[in-house]
Amino acid sequence: MKLWGIDLGGTKIECAVLDSENDLAVVIRKRLPTESDKGYEHILSQIKKLIDLVAEEIGERPTKIGFATPGVSEPDTNLMKNSNTTCLNGKPMQKDLEDILGIPVKLANDANSFALAEALMGAGRDYPDAEVVFGVIMGTGVGGGLVVNKKIIGGHHGIGGEWGHNILEENGQPCYCGKKGCVEQVISGPALERFYFQQSGEKLSLKTILEKYQAGTDVHAAATIDRLLEYYGRAISTLINVLDPGLIVIGGGVGNIDLLYTEGYERIKKYIFNNGVITTPILKPNLGDSAGVFGAALL
């Protein structure tokens, strides 16, 4: 049986087909540009075009398909919300896709898809006894996905795992969600770059800030990275205190910073409700940028 998935991103749409009878081997992966500036209807047409191209190439069409999407479908209304591809918001995307494709469609937030793929195909394969797996996205934004017993927990409002929009810094920077000081406004890449600029008056990429920190020559870089590690420790400790997962996998560009897995791990100990003892494995992803589309296929 072939498992079909689509990862809908702001700049690209990717389709993957997995072979469920051959250890989830990848049959094909193919991409098209999203061209989201052309609007919602154009995105739907790009999705159909991509599926048609893949079907022609492998000689069969899907009978059902999963989608990893920015934002989430509201369970009560089945309308999209919380998407940074804003033309999706308020649209009945699942229904529209089913009408266009003529097959059943299942949607999941892209962070949930990431968590599912890593739990079943990636880092989670080395931790088969982990009943609860939390997938963290730390990059341009901050998000999360929750998988329990190999199933995504979407939640009553469809916001299960939305770690990035809890208040981390009281009276901090305003967030587009309407609150101030959300996790995303403290430890995302742009938030850390903004903090460095506020301290130094110089605009630098997070990569350059990290290099300056490692060189030990820039007090503002030191303050920025210390801020990252301290608030990361607080934020991750909350996840552990509430969910106590058997595995945490951290994706996204900020998640590539090695210090998170050494000094950042130590910072968690100050806040965890376990006498300062933490044994939770916290790992980088195994699947890279493939996780979203693989997770969609696994839906």
Side-chain angles (χ1 to χ4, degrees), residues 108-131:
N109 174 263
D110 46 15
N112 282 327
S113 299
F114 162 80
L116 183 65
E118 284 295 336
L120 301 186
M121 294 177 63
R125 284 195 165 185
D126 292 331
Y127 298 89
D129 295 330
E131 294 181 327

Side-chain angles (χ1 to χ4, degrees), residues 137-143 183-197 204-207 209 224-225 227-228 251-255 257:
I137 304 294
M138 291 176 60
T140 302
V142 173
V183 175
E184 184 168 302
Q185 296 301 322
V186 180
I187 58 174
S188 68
L192 292 163
E193 291 169 355
R194 181 180 62 227
F195 178 81
Y196 180 86
F197 173 70
L204 295 178
S205 69
L206 183 57
K207 179 182 177 182
I209 294 167
T224 302
I225 300 304
R227 176 179 173 83
L228 165 62
V254 179
I257 296 176

Side-chain angles (χ1 to χ4, degrees), residues 196 202 204 207-218 221:
Y196 180 86
E202 186 177 8
L204 295 178
K207 179 182 177 182
T208 302
I209 294 167
L210 183 62
E211 289 170 351
K212 286 179 171 289
Y213 168 82
Q214 291 167 335
T217 57
D218 187 328

